[in-house]
Amino acid sequence: MKFYFAPLEGVSGYIYRNAYHKHFVGFDRYFTPFIAPKKNQALSSKELRDVLPENNQGMTLIPQILTNQVDYFLATSQKLYDLGYREVNLNLGCPSGTVVTKKKGAGFLAELDRLEHFLTDVTEELSKMGMALSIKTRIGLQETAEFTEIIELYNEYSLAELIVHPRLQKEQYTGKPHWEIFAQAVEQSKNSLCYNGDIFTVEDYQRFCLDFPQIERVMLGRGVLRNPNLLAEIKGEKLADFNRLKQFHDDIFQGYQRDFSGEKPVIFKMRELWGYLLPLIPEGSQYAKKIHKADRIKEYEQIVEQIFSVQ
Ligand SMILES: Cc1cc2nc3c(=O)[nH]c(=O)nc-3n(C[C@H](O)[C@H](O)[C@H](O)COP(=O)(O)O)c2cc1C
């Protein structure tokens, strides 16, 4: 089995990725949070920093792009090519209202004719450049029946791979992933498949493998945010201790202090991280309020010291 780390906008940028890769069991591939090209700007300075090869050493990184414009997609791909990338991933899964209204992300699945033109042009140009295309997709917007036309469309193209998160746009992250639709993908897809969705524990992973023994790629997202040791546990490797978690935390904390100006944005990002990590800490919930209230670095550091000193 190959394991991929999901793109997680706002969380899994290069600082988090590097800290994870250094302290825990590495993934075979990491996907960047989506890059959203704009007119005259293939990559913002933040997006560029996230994909610079020197910021991503020792790991395989696939940049992801969110757009419905052929020229934007290709301009960004060209920049990525110049940086050394040979594969880009198209986001057809983002369920957020603002993105979907603009017919991007999962919203692009509402316009399959336009998506067909987009994919035809993009695959043709990318192949001239010597670049491969992979897609990360949801299974539709409102009804699971939409997937039949969607998979037929993808079958017209030779993709590096097709990553399927088997939820509808309207479901956001609620309910269970539709494994029956993923089974349909397994039956019908001409492209090789990667599964993504709700693998939070070793048991979830084992259940998936029992149901889909033919699948050789799995992408993990929130499960890793909540338990950075998840991949080690899945692979049956040594359990991590809290010291490792502390080093991981400290690397991220230092990285954010380097990248952001001012204390508030750093603390804001660290709060978000603790939102995922606190349930892992025995008695962790008692620190939630304190972390939320801290608004100076000094204060934050004291709370973190308390958290790790009692472990
Ligand atoms: C905070 C957050 C940010 C996300 N950002 C992206 C993104 O930039 N691109 C993308 O394709 N999916 C994004 N996703 C979706 C995840 O990549 C993944 O498909 C989803 O969380 C389901 O997998 P999981 O159950 O393993 O977390 C995001 C999800 C979350 C929770």
Side-chain angles (χ1 to χ4, degrees), residues 5-48:
F5 191 32
L8 296 156
E9 210 275 317
V11 191
S12 73
Y14 80 99
I15 290 174
Y16 184 100
R17 274 197 308 272
N18 278 283
Y20 175 86
H21 196 70
K22 179 169 154 197
H23 296 292
F24 293 95
V25 170
F27 280 85
D28 297 292
R29 288 175 152 215
Y30 294 79
F31 288 71
T32 69
F34 64 75
I35 294 166
K38 292 167 200 73
K39 199 167 192 276
N40 303 324
Q41 192 185 54
L43 290 170
S44 69
S45 52
K46 177 173 169 246
E47 289 164 348
L48 176 63

Side-chain angles (χ1 to χ4, degrees), residues 5 8 11 16 20 24 167 173 198-201 204 220-230 233 242 245 248 272-281:
F5 191 32
L8 296 156
V11 191
Y16 184 100
Y20 175 86
F24 293 95
R167 276 197 173 94
Y173 293 101
D198 291 27
I199 305 278
F200 299 142
T201 62
D204 293 338
L220 310 177
R222 292 165 298 166
V224 181
L225 300 185
R226 294 173 194 170
N227 173 14
N229 206 41
L230 178 60
E233 291 172 13
F242 277 101
L245 194 65
F248 167 68
E272 207 176 324
L273 185 76
W274 280 112
Y276 291 106
L277 288 180
L278 271 183
L280 200 65
I281 309 272

Side-chain angles (χ1 to χ4, degrees), residues 1-4 20-21 24-30 201-203 205-206 218 220 229-239:
M1 183 68 81
K2 295 274 184 226
F3 293 95
Y4 296 172
Y20 175 86
H21 196 70
F24 293 95
V25 170
F27 280 85
D28 297 292
R29 288 175 152 215
Y30 294 79
T201 62
V202 176
E203 292 70 36
Y205 172 71
Q206 288 169 341
V218 164
L220 310 177
N229 206 41
L230 178 60
L231 185 53
E233 291 172 13
I234 285 176
K235 290 189 167 187
E237 293 182 15
K238 192 174 154 289
L239 294 186

Side-chain angles (χ1 to χ4, degrees), residues 250-269:
D250 290 352
D251 277 5
I252 296 174
F253 186 40
Q254 280 162 20
Y256 288 162
Q257 288 181 85
R258 251 191 338 265
D259 254 29
F260 299 134
S261 55
E263 301 195 1
K264 285 245 164 74
V266 175
I267 291 177
F268 188 82
K269 294 290 277 187

